[in-house]
Amino acid sequence: MMRRILPHPGVSLIVALVWMMLVNRFAWGSLVFAVVLGVVVPVMTAPYWPDRAGFRSPGRIAGYIGIVLIDIAKANIAVARIVLFMPKRDLRPCWLTVPLDLTSPEAITVLAGTITLTPGTVSCDLSEDGRALLVHCLHAPDPDAVLDEIKTRYESRLKEIFR
């Protein structure tokens, strides 16, 4: 019964919080409407989510987010150095095809988002079979090292988090 009312409790909470932030002031009517939206939107969209993502180890999510935030800060500094001080002729952009061991669409989406959020890299395409991700790197003098870093630093952790 509870699963029917709240098929995606996390989505319900996020919808309610986003509504309250959009309203930008507390009012009981707004809170009630936020809760109603938080229940109705997931119930209406539940048929489109037949295979919900499962977490094998949800406790590792905070650690993953911490690593990604640290990497984003480091990459911002690296990209600033490249833009400000590296001569254009020394720049080594490249395209990488990252073979994926991940099978969950949600895990692949998180990996692609992580790559794109990190300055200097952009995930551009997913192969039709979902087994490879095309990534562009702003500066990669050693493309194999970038590939290894994506596989070991991000993908291996996501394999531990998602089923």
Side-chain angles (χ1 to χ4, degrees):
M1 178 67 176
M2 191 63 163
R3 187 57 80 185
R4 198 178 291 168
I5 295 171
L6 290 174
H8 305 287
V11 174
S12 296
L13 180 64
I14 290 171
V15 167
L17 288 173
V18 167
W19 180 260
M20 289 305 291
M21 287 189 288
L22 286 171
V23 170
N24 201 22
R25 64 179 174 84
F26 182 81
W28 288 106
S30 296
L31 181 62
V32 169
F33 190 69
V35 170
V36 169
L37 277 179
V39 171
V40 170
V41 169
V43 167
M44 298 299 286
T45 61
Y48 301 104
W49 298 27
D51 300 324
R52 291 193 339 222
F55 295 114
R56 178 181 306 150
S57 182
R60 295 182 186 253
I61 294 172
Y64 182 79
I65 291 171
I67 287 170
V68 170
L69 290 175
I70 289 168
D71 288 351
I72 288 172
K74 288 180 184 177
N76 271 306
I77 294 167
V79 169
R81 283 186 181 144
I82 290 168
V83 170
L84 295 174
F85 303 116
M86 183 178 282
K88 195 174 185 179
R89 67 181 174 276
D90 294 340
L91 194 62
R92 301 285 178 253
C94 77
W95 290 96
L96 295 173
T97 301
V98 179
L100 298 174
D101 297 327
L102 297 170
T103 56
S104 162
E106 292 82 7
I108 294 170
T109 302
V110 171
L111 177 63
T114 299
I115 291 168
T116 300
L117 281 172
T118 307
T121 55
V122 176
S123 49
C124 300
D125 197 12
L126 179 65
S127 66
E128 227 175 274
D129 63 357
R131 305 302 303 152
L133 192 61
L134 182 63
V135 176
H136 183 267
C137 299
L138 175 65
H139 180 65
D142 185 5
D144 290 332
V146 175
L147 181 63
D148 289 341
E149 185 174 3
I150 290 171
K151 298 286 284 174
T152 59
R153 192 150 177 92
Y154 302 129
E155 187 182 33
S156 65
R157 286 181 168 86
L158 289 173
K159 285 190 331 190
E160 293 173 3
I161 293 171
F162 288 92
R163 285 187 201 157

